[in-house]
Amino acid sequence: MPPSRWLRYVGAFLLPAPCWAPRVRWLGFLRQPSLVHGCPVLGAWHSARRWCQAWTEEPRALCSSLRMNGDQKSEAYAREKWDFIQHFSQILNVLTEETGHPETGDAIARLKEVLEYNAIGGKYNRGLTVLAAFQELVEPKKQDADSLQRVLTVGWCVELLQAFFLVLDDIMDSSLTRRGQLCWYKKPGIGLDAINDALLIEACIYRLLKLYCREQPYYLNLIELFLQTTYQTETGQTLDLITAPQGDVDLDRFTEKRYKSIVKYKTAFYSFYLPVAAAMYMAGIDGEEEHANAKKILLEMGEFFQIQDDYLDLFGDPSVTGKVGTDIQDNKCSWLVVQCLQRASPEQRQILQENYGQKEAEKVARVKALYEELELPAVFRQYEEDSYSCLMGLIKQYAAPLPPAIFLGLACKIYKRKK
């Protein structure tokens, strides 16, 4: 009997939850209190049930089953998100309270405005991942109010790092909108002063880590993690900028190898590895092997995420994504242009050469039409399915001893996303 069929038969007996199985939060049936929380019987049931489903279902069906855990999961997620958003007011007060230096009052007022405009309004996925991963890794009795306050704060540090990057990235890309509103530098009276505002946001990360985590054994690990991630992301941004300088269109630079390097450093480290690694350190998991294995999964997930972003930049709905894409105008080394170059005839490459990296609307439209002629939307859909299957294989191979739910939950959040 094929292994997949055997797993289906076994899974059929494991799918109904025993009457003594605890109610769980955050990821519904994917939570695994067992291996981390020390309950071997529940562990065997949770693990067998989850893996029988995960490795015998198609990606679409698996994500559907994750999402169909119904109102209970949605309500739990809504509560977690509400708690996370509410915590922002606390850290805002901490960062902008009276410092004993009244002469800096105007600067503190500016900081408050900067934080309220740029840190709020996103999906909060990166910050919430810190919370979700921590709850998977630490047994409930050790999740006291103080530790959860620290986790929420570190989650907001990840969100502030994102805000810091985005304020500067919008300036460099000449972007117009972000999260459904004008980019910060585009607001009247702001302009290039936004550069200093971004530096203020970055400084807040280390103020918060010091205020909330200085006495914890993982403090140094967190400081080093944020510093290293910032360097990696800025390295990726450098690769992005020198590969696609404005006004100098060189299609030969747009190779798949260069694209993967940009994505790995510019997106994957800070969007996926950082939040999970932060939770691991806070849970006392600092082994090199555990972090290396998590990184293998999460960097692949980051590449998947960025390719989605590149696709949505052109083919997404701005009313849903919250931003107007400018990758074509900005001469970006995006997944779409790399795929186009791999498939284009000499005549089509010439069309790309004449129109890519130009601001005129008709030239942007011509590039989009070329992508459609080459059926890149269909290529993307096939890539999405293949990449998701690859992620499932990596999770199966490298997740242990961490709960696979951490990685499965992230994968299903981004699979088929529209923004």
Side-chain angles (χ1 to χ4, degrees):
M1 179 184 296
S4 60
R5 185 178 299 172
W6 181 85
L7 281 169
R8 286 189 182 96
Y9 287 149
V10 175
F13 291 101
L14 293 167
L15 291 181
C19 61
W20 39 266
R23 289 182 177 270
V24 292
R25 299 178 68 194
W26 187 257
L27 288 175
F29 73 66
L30 281 179
R31 263 188 75 84
Q32 185 186 12
S34 52
L35 297 181
V36 182
H37 301 161
C39 180
V41 179
L42 278 176
W45 173 74
H46 276 283
S47 298
R49 177 174 176 240
R50 183 181 59 257
W51 291 109
C52 284
Q53 288 187 320
W55 309 124
T56 61
E57 293 185 21
E58 293 297 320
R60 187 187 306 275
L62 174 59
C63 268
S64 295
S65 65
L66 284 171
R67 293 176 181 126
M68 284 173 61
N69 209 29
D71 294 340
Q72 183 179 353
K73 179 189 170 190
S74 297
E75 290 172 4
Y77 177 80
R79 285 196 300 273
E80 302 284 0
K81 189 171 183 178
W82 172 255
D83 290 343
F84 184 75
I85 294 172
Q86 288 298 108
H87 189 67
F88 178 75
S89 61
Q90 177 180 321
I91 67 169
L92 185 66
N93 288 338
V94 167
L95 290 169
T96 60
E97 65 187 359
E98 177 57 50
T99 62
H101 302 284
E103 64 270 23
T104 66
D106 289 344
I108 297 302
R110 171 65 170 237
L111 172 62
K112 185 173 187 292
E113 182 186 2
V114 168
L115 291 172
E116 288 176 333
Y117 193 91
N118 294 288
I120 296 295
K123 298 183 289 292
Y124 309 115
N125 284 340
R126 294 167 183 82
L128 286 167
T129 296
V130 180
L131 177 61
F134 181 82
Q135 290 176 325
E136 287 288 340
L137 294 168
V138 175
E139 57 184 307
K141 66 181 180 182
K142 293 184 179 179
Q143 296 178 27
D144 56 50
D146 288 342
S147 66
L148 288 175
Q149 287 284 299
R150 289 191 289 270
V151 171
L152 290 169
T153 300
V154 172
W156 271 108
C157 286
V158 176
E159 290 293 320
L160 291 179
L161 187 67
Q162 157 89 337
F164 161 59
F165 292 146
L166 293 183
V167 170
L168 295 176
D169 192 61
D170 286 341
I171 297 171
M172 288 181 270
D173 289 349
S174 302
S175 297
L176 302 175
T177 59
R178 171 72 64 181
R179 295 172 175 171
Q181 60 185 3
L182 280 176
C183 294
W184 176 245
Y185 83 100
K186 280 289 185 182
K187 281 180 62 67
I190 302 298
L192 294 183
D193 289 355
I195 296 170
N196 189 70
D197 295 333
L199 295 174
L200 280 173
I201 295 172
E202 184 193 25
C204 288
I205 296 167
Y206 300 98
R207 289 186 63 204
L208 289 170
L209 290 176
K210 182 179 179 181
L211 288 167
Y212 282 82
C213 302
R214 180 173 45 182
E215 304 302 323
Q216 302 305 313
Y218 50 75
Y219 176 57
L220 180 58
N221 282 330
L222 286 183
I223 293 291
E224 291 181 342
L225 176 65
F226 274 89
L227 288 172
Q228 177 68 6
T229 303
T230 300
Y231 174 73
Q232 288 163 332
T233 306
E234 290 168 353
T235 298
Q237 179 72 351
T238 301
L239 287 172
D240 191 17
L241 292 171
I242 63 178
T243 302
Q246 292 191 16
D248 180 14
V249 180
D250 183 355
L251 299 180
D252 290 334
R253 293 192 184 109
F254 298 155
T255 65
E256 188 162 19
K257 181 179 179 181
R258 173 52 64 93
Y259 176 76
K260 285 178 176 288
S261 297
I262 293 170
V263 168
K264 175 182 177 180
Y265 285 92
K266 184 177 177 179
T267 299
F269 278 110
Y270 95 89
S271 293
F272 289 89
Y273 178 64
L274 169 63
V276 174
M280 290 170 67
Y281 283 130
M282 297 183 81
I285 301 171
D286 56 7
E288 289 185 11
E289 183 177 359
E290 289 90 342
H291 278 265
N293 286 341
K295 193 178 295 182
K296 288 174 184 174
I297 299 168
L298 295 163
L299 294 186
E300 183 70 24
M301 203 175 291
E303 181 177 312
F304 177 33
F305 178 87
Q306 185 58 52
I307 289 172
Q308 288 176 313
D309 240 27
D310 289 356
Y311 178 80
L312 293 172
D313 182 86
L314 183 61
F315 291 105
D317 181 351
S319 67
V320 176
T321 63
K323 59 182 179 181
V324 178
T326 60
D327 282 357
I328 293 173
Q329 298 94 311
D330 295 337
N331 189 31
K332 287 294 183 180
C333 180
S334 82
W335 182 82
L336 288 168
V337 75
V338 171
Q339 297 301 310
C340 176
L341 288 167
Q342 290 176 356
R343 293 166 171 77
S345 67
E347 294 77 15
Q348 290 169 322
R349 183 185 175 97
Q350 185 60 35
I351 292 172
L352 190 66
Q353 181 70 56
E354 293 170 355
N355 293 278
Y356 202 74
Q358 308 298 319
K359 304 295 184 184
E360 294 85 350
E362 61 273 13
K363 293 190 175 184
V364 174
R366 186 65 191 94
V367 174
K368 183 176 182 179
L370 177 59
Y371 289 169
E372 290 169 337
E373 288 171 25
L374 293 169
E375 299 183 338
L376 293 192
V379 174
F380 169 76
R381 287 190 291 272
Q382 185 58 53
Y383 162 80
E384 191 168 38
E385 299 297 334
D386 294 344
S387 183
Y388 188 88
S389 297
C390 175
L391 279 175
M392 293 297 102
L394 288 173
I395 293 169
K396 182 178 182 180
Q397 184 176 359
Y398 293 111
L402 301 181
I406 293 172
F407 307 104
L408 289 168
L410 276 173
C412 286
K413 276 184 181 180
I414 64 175
Y415 178 62
K416 298 290 185 185
R417 70 186 180 97
K418 300 300 181 185
K419 63 177 182 178

